[in-house]
């Protein structure tokens, strides 16, 4: 059974993948063959969902069908060697997906290529968006750490979302629950059998890349290898990567951290209650971030063109910090209410945590419970859908 997300926000059922990485990829490729063979239509819909007035809707269908092979071919030439060299098991999983789905391997590099583009310092595309909050056991009503996160993206992307349970048979690698998308070997969120949980927000920090490898692959590797927050931070410091990210990390011992990741640097914030959107809050990473007075260029969709790049991120971050301060010790329901928050006016828009913007909207919401090795997950906006419980 699969966890495909239809637009009705139905119950999420995880896809179980077991074996070596090639076999786990094959299970994913078989289950999502139709979605993977329709990537051209998905890209066309994403372009249409953007609200752009630059004529995407008038591009002939045949041209869109050539786009995936063209973009995938370029991305594979740029990224494949580094992925195979530094993250060979993730490369094997990708190869298994492609083989079982009967699509060219290059097609699966489109997603990681877009991820790298979204994570760089740029004014050409609206920065991808997420909001995350976390509490330690000391700040939680049940005495357990929790992470809660919204993932904001164009709504058309939901058709490829999935939850999988990865059970690698190689000795020393941990099983995990992964929130990801059909073409990806890596993950955006996850929790492993040791109780290490990660939620990945997009970040946009300058730095020199150690390898052209997207952050989702690093998330998956950390879930396979690490047990604690400190383990995860040290692993990230050592591993080459491209792009940027802001991770919220928690472990079964009750520790949490916000980890701001540049291509060649890491900054860590700690506390009993943390919130993060898509801009740097640490003194170390602020100089690497997009300037706060920067505006989105004319190459962006008309609906967001000319806005300050960080305007939504700042609004969502300020609101999340205020809600955390007001709630005292937090329950899971408190965190879910934060994810569904429409601001003081009660009207969801491009600046609220539950986001309803002209380009981005909240398309996935997750609450991670490290001590229970479980998550609650929905594909949709938390003001509209209900959560499904997934356990290892």
């Amino acid at each position: 059974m699969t966890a495909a997300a239809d637009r009705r926000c139905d119950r999420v059922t995880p896809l179980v993948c077991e074996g070596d990485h090639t076999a786990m990829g094959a299970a994913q490729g078989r289950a999502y063959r139709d979605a993977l063979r329709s990537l051209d239509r998905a890209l066309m819909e994403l372009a249409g969902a953007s609200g752009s007035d630059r004529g995407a809707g008038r591009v002939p269908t045949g041209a869109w069908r050539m786009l995936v092979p063209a973009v995938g071919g370029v991305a594979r030439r740029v990224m494949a060697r580094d992925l195979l060299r530094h993250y060979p098991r993730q490369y094997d999983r990708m190869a298994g997906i492609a083989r079982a789905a009967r699509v060219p391997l290059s097609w699966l590099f489109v997603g990681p290529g877009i991820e790298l583009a979204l994570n760089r310092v740029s004014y050409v595309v609206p920065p991808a968006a997420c909001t995350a909050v976390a509490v330690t056991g000391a700040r939680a009503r049940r005495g357990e750490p929790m992470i809660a996160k919204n993932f904001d993206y164009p709504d058309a992307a939901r058709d490829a979302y999935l939850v999988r349970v990865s059970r690698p048979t190689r000795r020393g690698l941990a099983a995990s629950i992964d929130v990801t998308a059909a073409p990806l070997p890596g993950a955006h969120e996850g929790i492993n059998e040791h109780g290490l949980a990660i939620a990945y927000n997009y970040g946009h920090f300058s730095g020199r890349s150690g390898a052209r490898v997207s952050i989702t692959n690093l998330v998956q590797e950390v879930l396979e290898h690490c047990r604690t927050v400190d383990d995860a931070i040290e692993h990230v410091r050592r591993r080459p990567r491209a792009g940027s990210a802001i991770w919220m990390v928690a472990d079964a011992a009750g520790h949490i951290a916000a980890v701001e990741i540049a291509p060649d640097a890491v900054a860590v914030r700690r506390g009993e209650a943390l919130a993060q959107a898509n801009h740097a809050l640490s003194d170390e990473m602020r100089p690497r971030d997009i300037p706060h007075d920067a505006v989105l260029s004319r190459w962006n969709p008309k609906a967001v063109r000319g806005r300050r790049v960080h305007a939504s991120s700042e609004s969502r971050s300020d609101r999340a910090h205020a809600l955390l301060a007001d709630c005292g010790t937090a329950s899971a329901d408190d965190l879910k209410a934060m994810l569904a928050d429409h601001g003081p006016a009660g009207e969801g828009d491009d600046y609220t945590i539950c986001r309803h913007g002209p380009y981005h909207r909240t398309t996935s919401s997750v609450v991670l419970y490290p001590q229970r090795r479980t998550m609650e997950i929905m594909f949709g906006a938390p003001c509209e859908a209900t959560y499904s419980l997934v356990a290892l």
Side-chain angles (χ1 to χ4, degrees):
M1 300 179 70
T2 70
D6 71 21
R7 302 301 171 81
R8 299 188 306 273
C9 307
D10 285 345
R11 174 165 291 277
V12 174
T13 304
L15 171 72
V16 178
C17 303
E18 190 168 5
D20 62 20
H21 282 68
T22 303
M24 290 192 293
Q28 185 170 326
R30 285 192 297 271
Y32 287 87
R33 182 177 296 164
D34 290 345
L36 291 165
R37 298 177 78 172
S38 303
L39 287 176
D40 55 338
R41 290 199 298 272
L43 282 178
M44 186 162 57
E45 190 172 352
L46 281 169
S50 71
S52 172
D53 61 349
R54 302 194 67 80
R58 295 191 296 273
V59 175
T61 301
W64 281 105
R65 288 176 178 164
M66 291 188 292
L67 183 64
V68 169
V71 173
V74 172
R76 183 179 181 180
R77 286 193 295 274
V78 169
M79 302 175 70
R81 179 181 293 182
D82 283 351
L83 183 62
L84 183 58
R85 178 182 178 186
H86 297 288
Y87 300 80
R89 295 191 188 99
Q90 307 315 319
Y91 184 96
D92 290 344
R93 193 194 290 245
M94 183 183 281
I97 295 170
R99 189 175 302 119
R102 299 174 189 166
V103 299
L105 180 60
S106 60
W107 286 25
L108 302 191
F109 281 90
V110 173
I114 291 172
E115 185 184 348
L116 291 191
L118 290 175
N119 278 350
R120 66 191 179 92
V121 175
S122 172
Y123 314 104
V124 175
V125 294
C130 327
T131 309
V133 296
V135 294
T136 63
R139 279 291 301 271
R141 201 161 299 167
R142 291 185 52 169
E144 62 176 345
M146 296 178 288
I147 299 174
K149 181 210 161 179
N150 282 350
F151 178 47
D152 307 335
Y153 213 70
D155 195 53
R158 278 202 282 150
D159 289 338
Y161 290 180
L162 69 118
V163 174
R164 69 182 179 222
V165 175
S166 294
R167 299 191 182 278
T169 52
R170 186 182 180 93
R171 186 175 180 180
L173 299 184
S176 61
I177 311 169
D178 317 318
V179 182
T180 185
L184 297 181
H188 277 272
E189 284 82 52
I191 186 165
N192 72 13
E193 64 182 87
H194 306 300
L196 177 68
I198 303 171
Y200 158 27
N201 289 16
Y202 285 98
H204 312 279
F205 312 132
S206 62
R208 186 177 181 85
S209 299
R212 294 185 180 93
V213 177
S214 58
I215 297 291
T216 47
N217 289 292
L218 182 58
V219 172
Q220 196 67 40
E221 185 181 82
V222 168
L223 290 172
E224 291 174 358
H225 287 274
C226 298
R227 293 171 176 262
T228 68
V229 167
D230 287 343
D231 288 345
I233 293 168
E234 288 309 307
H235 195 94
V236 172
R237 290 188 192 279
R238 294 193 305 267
R239 299 298 282 140
R241 59 195 176 269
S244 309
I246 305 169
W247 288 6
M248 201 69 82
V249 189
D251 61 31
H255 305 114
I256 64 172
V259 187
E260 299 175 355
I261 304 169
D264 57 356
V266 175
V268 180
R269 295 191 303 116
R270 299 183 189 265
E272 291 191 344
L274 297 169
Q276 193 85 50
N278 302 101
H279 62 282
L281 296 179
S282 69
D283 291 338
E284 302 97 312
M285 205 61 68
R286 282 193 188 101
R288 294 170 173 262
D289 205 346
I290 296 172
H292 281 253
D293 60 353
V295 299
L296 293 166
S297 75
R298 65 187 179 90
W299 297 104
N300 285 271
K302 186 176 182 179
V304 299
R305 192 179 305 160
R307 292 187 184 182
R308 280 196 313 111
V309 173
H310 286 308
S312 175
S313 181
E314 291 170 1
S315 176
R316 290 180 283 110
S317 175
D318 290 347
R319 180 65 172 170
H321 280 96
L323 293 172
L324 276 175
D326 288 345
C327 80
T329 57
S331 68
D333 286 341
D334 290 330
L335 297 190
K336 291 176 186 176
M338 293 179 197
L339 296 182
D341 182 73
H342 286 166
E347 191 72 31
D349 58 26
D350 208 28
Y351 303 93
T352 56
I353 295 173
C354 185
R355 195 169 181 182
H356 299 266
Y359 184 83
H360 291 112
R361 60 178 287 120
T362 299
T363 57
S364 176
S365 187
V366 62
V367 184
L368 303 165
Y369 304 98
Q371 291 181 348
R372 296 185 239 172
R373 282 71 166 171
T374 63
M375 69 170 62
E376 290 186 271
I377 176 75
M378 68 166 67
F379 293 138
C383 65
E384 300 170 346
T386 57
Y387 289 89
S388 296
L389 180 66
V390 181
L392 272 176

